[in-house]
Amino acid sequence: QRVMNFLSDRLLVEEHLSLGEYSRSHILQTSMKKSRPLFRHDNFGELIRLELSKDAADSLRQLGAQLKLETDRLVQSAQMSTWYTALLVVIGLLLAFIIYFKSFWLSVLVVGAIPVSALGSVFLLCIFDSTINVISLTAIIFSTGVGLNDAVIKADSLIKQVKGGMNYLKALDYACEKRFVPILLTSITTLLTCIVQILITPDWDQIQLSVSLALAGGITFSTLWAIFTMPALLRIVNYRIVQPMG
C-alpha cells in the first residue's frame, strides 16, 4: 500500500507539472496532505506504466529493501517460534509417556515416531520440489499424530501383556501381530487417498499438492517405524524396559 500511495503521488505531480500549474515541491507537499483513494485511475495499467524519475526509482528501491528486511525478520522469527514450540511439545510428551509407561527407553521409542514422520513429510516435499507452507505444516502435524498414535497403541499393548505375566519377547510378538493389520490397513487407505489426490491435482495448485505430499510422506515413514523399526529396537533394549516394570 505504501508503494502504491507513492506511485499515485508521483502520478499526481506529473499531471500538474504537465499543465504548468505549480512547482514540483509545492505539488508534492500538497498531495501528501490530501486524503485520496489508493487507486486514482480506473485503469490500473496506466499507473504501472508510469515512467518514474531517477529520485522516485531510488526511493522505491530503498523502500523495497526495507520491506524485504522486515519480511525476512518476521519469517525468521516465525520459524524460530515454530521450532521452539515443537521442541516443547516433544519434551512434554516424552515426560508424560515416561510417567505412564514407567520406562525411559520405551517412551523414547514411542516419541521417536514424531521426528520420523516429520522427516518423511519433508523428504517427499523436497523430492517433488514443493514448499512447506502453513497448510502443509498442518498436514505434517496430522501425520505425526497418526504415527504417534500407532506407536502408543503398540507400546500400551506390550506393557499390558508384560504386566499380565507374559514373557517380554512373547508379549512383543503378540503386540506386533495384533496391531499389524489395523496399522497397515489404515495407512494404505490414507496413502491411496493421497496418491489419487496427487495425481489429479493440477500443477498450479501447489497448496493442495503440498498437503497430499506431506501426508503421504509422513504416514509412510511412521508406518514403517511402527511396524518394523520400533519392534526391532524394542528387542534390542528389552532388558532396559523389563527391569523398570518388574
Side-chain angles (χ1 to χ4, degrees):
Q1 184 175 354
R2 292 173 58 190
V3 173
M4 298 316 303
N5 282 334
F6 179 80
L7 290 172
S8 183
D9 286 331
R10 297 299 305 181
L11 181 60
L12 180 64
V13 170
E14 296 297 334
E15 287 177 351
H16 283 284
L17 285 177
S18 63
L19 298 176
E21 294 180 355
Y22 305 103
S23 66
R24 181 182 295 269
S25 59
H26 178 271
I27 296 170
L28 190 58
Q29 292 174 2
T30 304
S31 65
M32 291 297 183
K33 297 178 182 179
K34 292 182 179 180
S35 176
R36 339 167 238 91
L38 181 61
F39 302 109
R40 291 174 40 83
H41 292 269
D42 295 334
N43 187 0
F44 181 65
E46 294 181 6
L47 192 61
I48 294 298
R49 289 192 297 269
L50 176 64
E51 294 183 2
L52 300 176
S53 59
K54 183 178 179 180
D55 57 335
D58 293 339
S59 299
L60 280 178
R61 280 194 291 269
Q62 294 176 3
L63 179 60
Q66 293 176 359
L67 291 176
K68 185 178 183 303
L69 290 174
E70 183 66 17
T71 303
D72 292 342
R73 186 186 66 82
L74 291 175
V75 170
Q76 185 177 7
S77 176
Q79 290 176 344
M80 294 301 297
S81 177
T82 302
W83 282 112
Y84 287 146
T85 303
L87 182 61
L88 290 176
V89 169
V90 171
I91 294 175
L93 289 173
L94 179 60
L95 293 177
F97 288 140
I98 290 175
I99 295 174
Y100 178 74
F101 293 127
K102 296 181 176 61
S103 173
F104 173 78
W105 289 105
L106 180 60
S107 302
V108 168
L109 293 178
V110 170
V111 176
I114 297 178
V116 169
S117 179
L119 179 63
S121 298
V122 175
F123 175 76
L124 205 59
L125 288 171
C126 294
I127 290 295
F128 284 85
D129 196 22
S130 186
T131 58
I132 300 178
N133 48 60
V134 177
I135 307 299
S136 62
L137 185 60
T138 304
I140 293 174
I141 295 173
F142 176 78
S143 64
T144 56
V146 172
L148 183 63
N149 177 71
D150 294 337
V152 168
I153 292 177
K154 179 168 288 190
D156 186 64
S157 178
L158 170 64
I159 293 295
K160 288 181 179 179
Q161 298 303 319
V162 171
K163 288 184 176 180
M166 185 180 292
N167 178 268
Y168 175 81
L169 295 179
K170 291 182 178 180
L172 179 59
D173 293 336
Y174 174 82
C176 293
E177 182 180 354
K178 183 179 180 181
R179 297 305 307 170
F180 178 79
V181 175
I183 292 175
L184 188 62
L185 290 179
T186 304
S187 301
I188 290 177
T189 304
T190 308
L191 284 175
L192 288 177
T193 305
C194 294
I195 292 173
V196 172
Q197 192 66 41
I198 292 172
L199 294 176
I200 66 175
T201 301
D203 295 337
W204 53 266
D205 194 357
Q206 290 296 319
I207 294 180
Q208 182 62 43
L209 181 62
S210 64
V211 171
S212 301
L213 291 173
L215 283 175
I219 290 177
T220 300
F221 274 54
S222 63
T223 301
L224 295 176
W225 173 265
I227 293 179
F228 300 108
T229 309
M230 182 177 171
L233 294 175
L234 285 173
R235 289 182 180 276
I236 295 175
V237 298
N238 66 83
Y239 68 95
R240 296 179 181 270
I241 295 175
V242 175
Q243 288 178 356
M245 295 187 299

